[in-house]
Amino acid sequence: MKFITVVFMILYLFALSFGVFFTEFFRIPAPILFGLPLVFVFKEPGASFLYVKELLIFFLAFFFYYIVGVDDYKLFTVNLISIFICALYFSYFVGSNSKRFKLSILIFFSLLAFSAVIMVLNHFNESYINPLRALLAGQEVIQSPSGIAAYQFTFGYQLAALTPFIFIYAYLFKKKWLVKALVLSICLVFIFLGMQRSVFVGFIASVLLFSLIYYKYKAVYIIGITVIASVLLYTYVLKDGFDSKGKGAENILVKNEQDDGEYNRSTLLKENLRIYAEYPYGLIFYGKNWGDVIYRNQVFRSGITSHNAYLMFFTYLGPFLGLGFLIALYYKIIGAFRSVLNHVREKKYALLICLILSFLAVTINSLSHNAWLLSADGPTVFLFFSILHYLKIQKNNKDLEEAENEVNSHQEVHVQWKMNGEPQDRILI
């Protein structure tokens, strides 16, 4: 039974992490096919639904953005299903079971690491790896090299979640310096070959923030050593091993030297801000959609967006609804981060810190792409619920500990009263 449970966990987290919904092999949505058996057959005893408020916020945000704004009922349904099944997974299957929670984290990041290895191999044997990628992703491969994803930018979210997590994990769990150096090298190779500049920015931001809160003033030396190590790694390993003419020529540095053309992020951002200035309250309050406002627009003439998930969200919903939904969704995670600032060196908070900073990197990645929490991006959704669930498990364990202390205190009073000869009906249990 345990083996079957783990198999279903892998299948469900695989579908969630890599955005597998419909494939040629089955016409039932993958999150439902693999997630519901875990919820109903292997559920944790005594579990109940824990995310009513969050699900209500998601529903309303989806309704205003996808129904009122974009007018896309398919995206509304697909994203809502993905979010709802993930909430069911953590509520009923994981529940208060710490072992299932930690196993879920392990499987999730193992899958992301596997996808990153696929990406590295894709650089050297595209003809063999691409069919494997198509099989695993359940759809035709559009961009290469990449991991288990049809597009490179989709794979970027996987890398954004993976690299800061494993790097910070190596530090918080007191691994040896050799292990830390090896993990850093692996992260840099993944980012270098992953060809996503936004992933690199997210990784740097998460690592810098972690260094500042963990080492404080000593962070300056740590950052300096890291920069030197990175330069040496590039000079003596990456630059010679992956030149611009041979294998591995497709990398983040070569991509950075190429002109983005019409997809230049700064140009798209400026033009989106200009459109936003014309409709400051949000497009839905003017009865318009993206197609209406980019008509005859030379920058967005092909129908593309600014590739900034948050800016597009504000463009449709405006500052009031948009900011309100963002605060409602993120305030618990921000509160969790603030609460661990003074406990960063305590081991019991280590996993939470890794998850929060991994979520931060994925969130930063969305500044350059369209996928994010409200588009039910797999890694982002999993990290969001894993952080919230960690807080619930921690609170549950704290309540149990307080209850046990209270019982023990009453028992001590009980013994003392008996020794003093108090009447039986005065004894508290």
Side-chain angles (χ1 to χ4, degrees):
M1 184 63 72
K2 290 183 178 180
F3 174 76
I4 297 175
T5 304
V6 173
V7 169
F8 269 95
M9 287 179 68
I10 294 174
L11 291 174
Y12 169 68
L13 292 176
F14 184 97
L16 176 65
S17 303
F18 304 130
V20 179
F21 201 81
F22 283 124
T23 72
E24 297 179 356
F25 300 102
F26 44 82
R27 303 309 299 171
I28 300 175
I32 294 177
L33 182 63
F34 302 128
L36 290 187
L38 293 171
V39 171
F40 291 106
V41 180
F42 307 106
K43 65 177 293 187
E44 183 72 8
S48 59
F49 192 71
L50 303 173
Y51 300 102
V52 176
K53 292 181 180 179
E54 287 79 6
L55 198 64
L56 179 61
I57 295 170
F58 275 117
F59 177 84
L60 292 175
F62 286 160
F63 175 79
F64 282 107
Y65 187 65
Y66 290 111
I67 301 298
V68 179
V70 183
D71 191 26
D72 193 326
Y73 289 84
K74 181 180 178 180
L75 281 178
F76 171 82
T77 305
V78 169
N79 292 340
L80 189 60
I81 288 175
S82 299
I83 294 286
F84 182 58
I85 298 298
C86 191
L88 289 177
Y89 174 85
F90 278 98
S91 296
Y92 290 104
F93 175 73
V94 177
S96 59
N97 193 320
S98 297
K99 291 183 178 180
R100 286 187 173 182
F101 178 78
K102 293 178 181 179
L103 182 59
S104 298
I105 300 296
L106 175 61
I107 292 174
F108 172 71
F109 283 104
S110 296
L111 289 170
L112 298 189
F114 175 66
S115 180
V117 172
I118 292 291
M119 177 271 298
V120 174
L121 296 176
N122 198 192
H123 277 269
F124 302 96
N125 198 337
E126 187 173 310
S127 60
Y128 174 77
I129 297 299
N130 273 345
L132 177 61
R133 286 178 53 207
L135 176 65
L136 294 173
Q139 56 183 317
E140 180 184 357
V141 168
I142 306 298
Q143 293 179 330
S144 294
S146 187
I148 305 177
Y151 297 91
Q152 289 177 339
F153 78 88
T154 307
F155 169 72
Y157 287 85
Q158 304 171 24
L159 213 54
L162 174 67
T163 50
F165 181 90
I166 60 176
F167 178 74
I168 295 170
Y169 183 95
Y171 274 82
L172 288 178
F173 285 89
K174 310 299 182 183
K175 303 300 181 182
K176 295 181 179 179
W177 279 100
L178 181 61
V179 175
K180 295 175 183 177
L182 178 61
V183 171
L184 174 60
S185 301
I186 292 173
C187 291
L188 293 177
V189 169
F190 284 163
I191 294 172
F192 180 76
L193 296 179
M195 302 175 62
Q196 295 296 305
R197 290 162 293 186
S198 55
V199 173
F200 180 68
V201 173
F203 177 77
I204 293 298
S206 296
V207 171
L208 284 177
L209 182 58
F210 165 73
S211 301
L212 291 173
I213 64 177
Y214 189 81
Y215 293 104
K216 295 182 172 57
Y217 68 91
K218 294 181 180 179
V220 177
Y221 302 103
I222 302 298
I223 294 170
I225 294 173
T226 303
V227 171
I228 294 173
S230 301
V231 172
L232 292 175
L233 177 67
Y234 166 71
T235 303
Y236 294 104
V237 180
L238 300 180
K239 184 178 180 180
D240 296 331
F242 305 101
D243 56 52
S244 60
K245 298 179 181 179
K247 292 292 184 180
E250 296 169 298
N251 57 66
I252 193 172
L253 296 177
V254 173
K255 181 179 180 180
N256 193 53
E257 294 173 356
Q258 297 172 350
D259 183 18
D260 286 333
E262 64 175 331
Y263 297 100
N264 183 275
R265 292 295 191 272
S266 59
T267 302
L268 297 176
L269 178 64
K270 291 177 183 177
E271 190 64 18
N272 195 162
L273 288 173
R274 189 189 66 78
I275 293 174
Y276 179 78
E278 294 180 2
Y279 305 94
Y281 296 109
L283 295 181
I284 64 173
F285 293 99
Y286 298 91
K288 296 182 179 294
N289 58 32
W290 186 248
D292 297 329
V293 298
I294 65 171
Y295 184 65
R296 295 180 179 178
N297 187 294
Q298 293 300 312
V299 176
F300 298 118
R301 62 184 182 275
S302 62
I304 63 172
T305 67
S306 61
H307 290 274
N308 185 315
Y310 308 104
L311 183 55
M312 286 300 299
F313 187 68
F314 280 99
T315 300
Y316 269 101
L317 271 61
F320 304 111
L321 276 179
L323 188 60
F325 282 127
L326 288 183
I327 293 174
L329 286 171
Y330 289 115
Y331 83 98
K332 286 187 178 180
I333 293 180
I334 296 173
F337 178 70
R338 293 177 60 186
S339 68
V340 301
L341 285 178
N342 296 324
H343 307 280
V344 68
R345 290 184 175 272
E346 297 181 29
K347 193 171 183 178
K348 65 178 181 179
Y349 293 103
L351 182 58
L352 178 60
I353 294 170
C354 292
L355 292 172
I356 290 176
L357 293 178
S358 177
F359 183 79
L360 172 64
V362 175
T363 302
I364 291 174
N365 194 66
S366 296
L367 289 170
S368 300
H369 302 284
N370 292 321
W372 66 308
L373 182 61
L374 284 179
S375 64
D377 170 68
T380 310
V381 170
F382 179 86
L383 289 170
F384 176 82
F385 280 105
S386 64
I387 294 170
L388 296 186
H389 207 73
Y390 183 99
L391 298 175
K392 292 183 182 296
I393 291 178
Q394 188 181 54
K395 184 178 184 302
N396 182 62
N397 292 338
K398 184 178 180 180
D399 292 341
L400 288 175
E401 184 179 349
E402 291 177 353
E404 289 177 358
N405 292 336
E406 186 176 354
V407 170
N408 292 335
S409 177
H410 286 171
Q411 288 176 346
E412 290 176 2
V413 173
H414 171 85
V415 174
Q416 183 180 7
W417 284 358
K418 287 186 67 178
M419 290 177 64
N420 294 336
E422 293 289 339
Q424 183 71 24
D425 58 3
R426 296 273 309 275
I427 299 174
L428 296 177
I429 304 268

